[in-house]
C-alpha cells in the first residue's frame, strides 16, 4: 500500500519546519520506501507498517504543540510492491508515447 500524509502542529507559530523535520526523520528511519515533497510524505509497505510510521510521525509532531493536523490518503492494492516509483514510471512512459 501507499500512504501519503501531511502532518503539522497547529498553533505553534508561523514556521513548522522543525516539527515536520521530526516527522520526516521518523519516516526515513523506518526503512520503508518513502518520498517527501513540498506537500506530502508518501510511504510504501504493509498496512501495519505504514500506519505505525504515520502514528509515530504524528506523535513526533505532537511534541511541538498541543494540537496536530493530519491529512492522509491511501492506495491499498494487495500484492503490489514498488508502486512508489512504478506509478510514476508508467505515467512518464505514457506521456512519452
Amino acid at each position: 500500500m501507499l500512504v501519503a500524509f501531511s502532518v503539522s502542529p497547529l498553533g505553534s507559530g508561523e514556521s513548522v519546519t522543525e516539527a515536520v523535520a521530526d516527522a520526516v526523520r521518523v519516516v526515513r528511519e523506518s526503512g520503508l520506501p518513502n518520498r517527501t515533497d513540498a506537500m506530502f510524505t508518501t510511504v510504501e509497505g504493509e498496512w501495519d507498517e505504514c500506519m505505525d510510521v504515520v502514528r509515530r510521525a504524528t506523535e513526533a509532531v505532537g511534541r511541538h504543540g498541543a494540537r496536530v493536523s493530519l491529512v492522509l490518503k491511501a492506495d491499498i492494492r494487495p500484492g503490489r510492491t514498488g508502486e512508489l516509483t512504478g506509478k510514476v514510471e508508467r505515467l512518464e512512459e505514457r506521456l512519452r508515447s
Side-chain angles (χ1 to χ4, degrees):
M1 83 183 294
L2 295 173
V3 176
F5 70 102
S6 173
V7 60
S8 62
L10 296 176
S12 63
E14 187 174 322
S15 177
V16 296
T17 303
E18 186 177 336
V20 172
D22 286 348
V24 172
R25 191 172 293 109
V26 167
V27 172
R28 291 185 178 171
E29 290 174 355
S30 75
L32 295 178
N34 65 84
R35 176 179 296 145
T36 298
D37 61 37
M39 297 292 293
F40 286 92
T41 293
T42 305
V43 295
E44 181 173 18
E46 297 299 319
W47 179 276
D48 290 340
E49 295 172 318
C50 290
M51 292 305 151
D52 179 60
V53 170
V54 170
R55 179 187 54 77
R56 290 186 295 115
T58 302
E59 290 170 349
V61 167
R63 292 190 279 277
H64 292 269
R67 192 173 184 185
V68 175
S69 171
L70 172 65
V71 176
L72 184 139
K73 181 176 181 178
D75 181 359
I76 303 163
R77 203 167 175 193
R80 297 293 293 239
T81 60
E83 291 298 282
L84 186 66
T85 56
K87 290 175 84 167
V88 176
E89 289 167 358
R90 288 189 298 276
L91 173 63
E92 291 297 335
E93 183 178 319
R94 178 61 55 100
L95 290 170
R96 285 190 298 273
S97 59

